[in-house]
Amino acid sequence: MSVPDVTTVRDTITSATAATPYQGDIARYWNHEARPVNLRLGDVDGLYHHHYGIGDVDRAALGDPTAAGYENRLIAELHRLESAQTSLLLDNLGPIRREDTLVDAGCGRGGTMVMAHQRFGCGVEGVTLSVKQADFANHRARELGIDTSVRARVCNMLNTPFASGQAAASWNNESSMYVDLHDLFAEHSRILAPGGRYVTITGCWNPVYGQPSKWVSQINAHFECNIHSRREYLRAMADNRLVPQTVIDLTPQTLPYWELRATSGLVTGIEDAFINSYKDGSFQYLLIAADRV
Ligand code: SAH
């Protein structure tokens, strides 16, 4: 009998805490995820994200592609754009006080949590299915000396340990495509204080296109996720006391990130599916900010 390595043991533990076999698969996916496109970008300044960027590419900062150090400048630029995405999410949380608690649902390696704490000085609680991600985020919080305020735990975001009304604001930063939206928004609605703010930044398929395009299906297969439509987001929010205050179509703002990334040595093979689906209108990158009423 072979002795399972640490990763296998951890997978087993995480799978046991997952509510469904699918969640066990997602926990495994993120426990094994170590793509340079995420880690090398995070190494730039210690903010580790698992999401995409927005905004115009700074060509002057990139410089000449044939000049020495170009790949490092490109990585720094992609990272600047993914942190700009987080800044926009935080801009939409509304006024937050130091004594407030924020909840990051599907927190990954914790980049958004750290930025939220740095901006508002408040407590931030994150949940992820992945032990490895939670360990990573907590380690990073300790390194920064903010571990009394920023904490990640392994937990299903559809069933969190937070008290009803505890959160002044909560969000999903590219993590809502792993769950049923009615279940998700019921839980956000429960933990949010009345008047609290919920924000999601997500890719969604566009009902104007008709059905999920082949590109959207490719993205689903690549990430083992289930991209919802814009219509589903708005309906599930309406059904759960979340009233949209702001809806921003970020598609034109995220395309430069993808087009730049596609030229880099960090490509993962999914770049064309994003670029094609954003261009043919079948897929959109959306921010929705909603009030808990
Ligand atoms: N929000 C982070 C990570 C996005 S990656 C960022 O912006 O960097 C998707 C994340 O969703 C992963 O951390 C994964 O563990 C988490 N996730 C997916 N389904 C989940 C669930 N049911 N409960 C908690 N986290 C979940």
Side-chain angles (χ1 to χ4, degrees):
M1 204 182 86
S2 64
V3 178
D5 67 17
V6 172
T7 319
T8 317
V9 172
R10 295 195 138 207
D11 279 347
T12 313
I13 294 165
T14 310
S15 302
T17 60
T20 57
Y22 171 76
Q23 287 191 1
D25 287 344
I26 297 306
R28 247 186 309 279
Y29 177 99
W30 289 106
N31 279 338
H32 292 281
E33 203 283 339
R35 291 194 167 117
V37 76
N38 294 312
L39 294 179
R40 286 193 59 193
L41 269 60
D43 289 342
V44 170
D45 62 0
L47 290 168
Y48 290 84
H49 301 302
H50 285 284
H51 61 241
Y52 311 124
I54 56 167
D56 290 335
V57 171
D58 182 345
R59 295 279 158 199
L62 269 180
D64 183 348
T66 59
Y70 178 76
E71 184 78 1
N72 286 341
R73 290 196 297 280
L74 181 139
I75 285 170
E77 184 60 9
L78 288 173
H79 183 60
R80 186 181 70 77
L81 299 178
E82 61 179 15
S83 285
Q85 186 262 29
T86 307
S87 293
L88 181 69
L89 188 155
L90 300 179
D91 290 345
N92 279 276
L93 292 181
I96 302 293
R97 299 163 308 172
R98 292 183 74 82
E99 58 271 30
D100 285 337
T101 298
L102 307 178
V103 172
D104 184 340
C107 63
R109 284 186 157 96
T112 305
M113 286 200 287
V114 171
M115 286 179 67
H117 173 74
Q118 286 173 341
R119 183 181 299 199
F120 302 116
C122 64
V124 190
E125 299 279 353
V127 297
T128 167
L129 289 175
S130 158
V131 176
K132 198 170 140 197
Q133 287 188 328
D135 285 352
F136 189 102
N138 288 328
H139 177 74
R140 196 61 205 119
R142 272 194 304 279
E143 279 180 346
L144 292 167
I146 58 173
D147 51 311
T148 51
S149 304
V150 171
R151 173 170 52 159
R153 64 181 103 193
V154 179
C155 158
N156 176 8
M157 63 184 160
L158 303 180
N159 182 18
T160 65
F162 308 121
S164 298
Q166 185 185 339
S170 64
W171 63 83
N172 285 97
N173 196 351
E174 289 187 20
S175 54
S176 49
M177 56 292 285
Y178 296 96
V179 289
D180 177 278
L181 290 183
H182 279 84
D183 295 346
L184 178 68
F185 295 148
E187 183 62 356
H188 279 286
S189 195
R190 184 188 70 76
I191 65 174
L192 278 168
R197 178 60 60 82
Y198 170 77
V199 178
T200 183
I201 297 186
T202 185
C204 59
W205 64 266
N206 188 356
V208 174
Y209 183 85
Q211 284 287 320
S213 66
K214 61 186 171 191
W215 309 119
V216 170
S217 299
Q218 249 184 47
I219 297 168
N220 278 336
H222 184 89
F223 292 102
E224 301 179 40
C225 67
N226 174 34
I227 292 162
H228 307 288
S229 69
R230 175 155 51 107
R231 185 181 178 199
E232 282 176 77
Y233 275 95
L234 297 174
R235 183 158 46 198
M237 282 185 185
D239 287 348
N240 287 286
R241 308 191 67 96
L242 295 172
V243 177
Q245 166 77 14
T246 308
V247 180
I248 310 175
D249 181 1
L250 296 171
T251 310
Q253 293 185 53
T254 196
L255 258 169
Y257 163 90
W258 283 101
E259 287 172 337
L260 180 63
R261 175 170 153 166
T263 66
S264 81
L266 302 173
V267 286
T268 61
I270 200 61
E271 286 76 14
D272 282 350
F274 277 87
I275 292 168
N276 292 335
S277 60
Y278 284 143
K279 285 192 169 165
D280 74 9
S282 62
F283 191 44
Q284 294 179 297
Y285 198 48
L286 223 64
L287 177 146
I288 308 174
D291 290 325
R292 159 68 164 91
V293 298

